Amino acid sequence: MDDALLVALLLTDATIRVATPLVLAAFAALYSERAGVVDIGLEGKMLAGAFFAAAVASSTGNPWLGLGAAVAASVALALVHGFACITHKGNQVVSGMAINILVAGLAPTLAYAWFRQGGQTPLLPGEARLPQVRLPGVEALSAIPVLGPVYRELIDDANVLIWLTVLLVVATHWVFTRSRFGLRLRAVGENPSAVDTAGLSVTRLRYQAVIITGVLTGIAGAYLSTAHGAGFVRDMTAGKGYLALAALIFGKWRPWPTLFACLLFAFTDAVQVRLQGVPLPVVGVIPVQFIQMLPYVLTVLLLAGFVGRAVAPRASGVPYVKER
Amino acid sequence: MAQDAAQGVTGRGFDRPGEVPGWVGYALLPLLNLLAALVLSGLVILVIGENPLDVLALLVTEAVGYPEAIGYTLYYTTSYIFTGLAVAIAFHCGLFNIGGEGQAYLGGLGAGLVGLALTGWPWPVAALGAVALSALFGAAWAAVPGWLQAKRGSHIVITTIMFNFIAAAIMTYLLVDVLIRPGSQSPETREFDPGVWLPTMDRALGWLGVAIPASPLNLSFLWALACCALFYLFLWRTRWGYEIRTVGRNERAAVYAGISPARNIILAMAISGALAGFVGVNEIMGVQHRILLNFTGGVGFVGIAVALMGRNHPVGIVLAALLFGVLAQGGGQVSFEYPTVNRELVMVIQGLVILFAGALENLFKPQVEALFRRRGGGAAHG
């Protein structure tokens, strides 16, 4: 009984830790795409965040400065995306792709030149990493069955960014359903000309949205290199930006379903690690690769309408041209 | 006059004859964009503490400075021509194929299966078989997203991205669990029988009595050039090509003219995938002679830059592929000479070229057009 509970708790714990950067990135894209700017550059912005967080944390010893650098770098890239897509009405997919390729080259190039460690940053010591939040009462509660282990494994010692992500989810729900800003963002992604007619600036709203995207992807990157990991390594995002995009689509561009999609994808990852080489009844050993491709297959099936319909914000991907 | 200027700013200028010469659109603006990308790349090189001009000079020398280097450069160019054409034909149909990477990967599987199956056959048979099967595998892998877009309304950009990941997973599975050379630790197949290897260019020219230095450049380079010619003939000289371009220009007009968008979307994607699949012929039959992990190494993404730079025209694509071939070969060599420079610097330049040539393609257009209009206006009045 206790063993089963422990396995379940460890799986949940792993799921949360893997899900955090996904949630941050998927919610980042949520803001951008609900405002009508398609963002496949999540991967690049996260990678830039991861690199600058680790680089600055490594040279100053202060993870918070690293977090700030990550956000700054990621916002800068978001502004490039905005400049191309909003101001110059360029192709949003091409711009996102360019950012991904640019950063995939830039991060290891800078890492190589600055740290001379084969495209990595040095391993960060404990104090240069973002801290975990210790909560009181672990000892007092540990005697209680079920609640004690749950509290110890899941709630206590969670990284500060995990808490931030929880806050973000709640705040995003509020922004999109209750706040004036959120309603305007949604409107600008569905019908920009109506927003324009109402006397609001489409350009301004969309820039605000991509800046929020930049902030969140920067935090997601910092999580990878200074909270979950202990330094930047080449390709450390490893497709997480695209997976977050898949989660956003799987969540049909809505906050709660997107959160659950992220948790689902993270759970398959956690399960896959535990299932490696373990024979299952009936099917035998499932090759790891098939579990790894599951989120992508699910997204394809969803988009094809085989598991419900995912309808993108109507104006997403379309630059707004003010009528003359 | 003021109205003219306003129209110029919103980008109608190229349709107006006699005002801005055509070469501005297809030569001057791409060159300006390229220049901007190179200047920014130079800044990156400055930041990492090297002299951009020295690095550039070395890069060019190492790419085209001596015959062996040219062979390597053209070998990279070959793959880039294939993926550039692949992205371009999808573009002509109004589709953005980001899946070149996965399609090239599966094309390599197709070519490789031919290489594994044929032993003791003459190489021309193997070459034909590899071309056919790599085209088939690549086309099948691209036609599915095409079908999903045409019939089920899925977004082709997202599905092709997802298909890249699925292809990578499938190939890893095949190479680790199925096709792996028995007793081997590294995930790759056995080497093909040397008799079915695609001859390298130095060997082929050797038969004609022409001696050139050895390099990975092989006969698939000629096939790439042939594909350029076929691409041109197909797209601008056949009814099918006309239909594909019509769908790309205006889907509703195509429907009105009795052209089926769905059929053409699937067709264009299948051809696109087949072209990307030919990367497998170059890499697997021409150079590696075995199927191995990640042999594509980003060629599908470079294809996007090549198509954008080359304005989706075969001539432009050959030139752009040549440029990226120079970058790939020269950039790799530069990293040997400069301790602070590594191979990924090439990706920085590629990314910047995609950014400026693709997403910011109109960045300099208003200024350049205004310049020409002012000169043209001055001449007319003076």
Side-chain angles (χ1 to χ4, degrees), chain A residues 160-177:
Chain A
V160 58
L161 287 189
I162 295 182
W163 288 113
L164 186 74
T165 307
V166 173
L167 274 181
L168 165 76
V169 170
V170 178
T172 302
H173 169 75
W174 181 82
V175 164
F176 276 104
T177 53

Side-chain angles (χ1 to χ4, degrees), chain B residues 245-317:
Chain B
R245 285 184 297 122
T246 309
V247 171
R249 274 295 174 89
N250 189 335
E251 213 174 298
R252 279 166 65 188
V255 173
Y256 202 66
I259 297 169
S260 155
R263 213 192 63 131
N264 282 287
I265 285 170
I266 299 170
L267 177 67
M269 279 306 286
I271 297 173
S272 178
L275 286 164
F278 292 147
V279 170
V281 180
N282 183 31
E283 281 292 336
I284 298 301
M285 287 301 265
V287 180
Q288 306 292 352
H289 309 131
R290 62 172 76 89
I291 316 176
L292 67 175
L293 277 186
N294 299 328
F295 67 85
T296 47
V299 281
F301 299 124
V302 179
I304 299 169
V306 170
L308 289 169
M309 274 299 295
R311 299 273 150 152
N312 301 315
H313 190 282
V315 175
I317 286 169

Side-chain angles (χ1 to χ4, degrees), chain A residues 30-139:
Chain A
L30 180 69
Y31 282 91
S32 173
E33 302 220 345
R34 283 310 285 259
V37 180
V38 164
D39 195 349
I40 64 168
L42 297 174
E43 183 85 6
K45 289 200 276 281
M46 272 168 92
L47 196 62
F51 169 67
F52 279 99
V56 170
S58 163
S59 27
T60 64
N62 185 336
W64 301 103
L65 285 179
L67 182 65
V71 168
S74 182
V75 167
L77 289 170
L79 287 174
V80 169
H81 190 56
F83 180 68
C85 304
I86 305 169
T87 305
H88 280 278
K89 302 177 180 28
N91 187 317
Q92 303 182 355
V93 175
V94 174
S95 167
M97 228 34 241
I99 287 170
N100 286 345
I101 294 174
L102 174 65
V103 179
L106 196 59
T109 300
L110 293 180
Y112 194 77
W114 289 348
F115 298 102
R116 304 286 168 89
Q117 295 194 1
Q120 307 185 352
T121 61
L123 205 63
L124 296 173
E127 67 272 13
R129 297 175 60 193
L130 286 164
Q132 280 146 330
V133 183
R134 293 223 70 129
L135 294 176
V138 181
E139 269 74 49

Side-chain angles (χ1 to χ4, degrees), chain A residues 90 93 112 116 234 303-304 309, chain B residues 96 152 154 339-340 344 359 363:
Chain A
V93 175
Y112 194 77
R116 304 286 168 89
R234 186 183 298 243
L303 279 173
R309 203 96 195 94
Chain B
F96 195 19
R152 311 286 312 188
S154 324
T340 45
E344 271 96 352
L363 186 62

Side-chain angles (χ1 to χ4, degrees), chain A residues 18 31 40 84 106 111 140 156 178 186 190 194 197 199 212 215 230 247 250 262 281 287 319 323:
Chain A
V18 176
Y31 282 91
I40 64 168
L106 196 59
D156 186 48
R178 293 279 180 276
R186 282 165 55 185
E190 295 290 337
T197 312
I212 296 174
V215 172
F250 207 68
C262 290
E323 283 176 49

Side-chain angles (χ1 to χ4, degrees), chain B residues 165-190:
Chain B
F165 285 103
I166 299 173
I170 291 177
M171 289 295 281
T172 308
Y173 165 70
L174 288 177
L175 287 171
V176 171
D177 287 349
V178 183
L179 295 171
I180 190 166
R181 182 161 57 96
S184 160
Q185 291 301 312
S186 70
E188 55 187 42
T189 66
R190 68 170 171 84

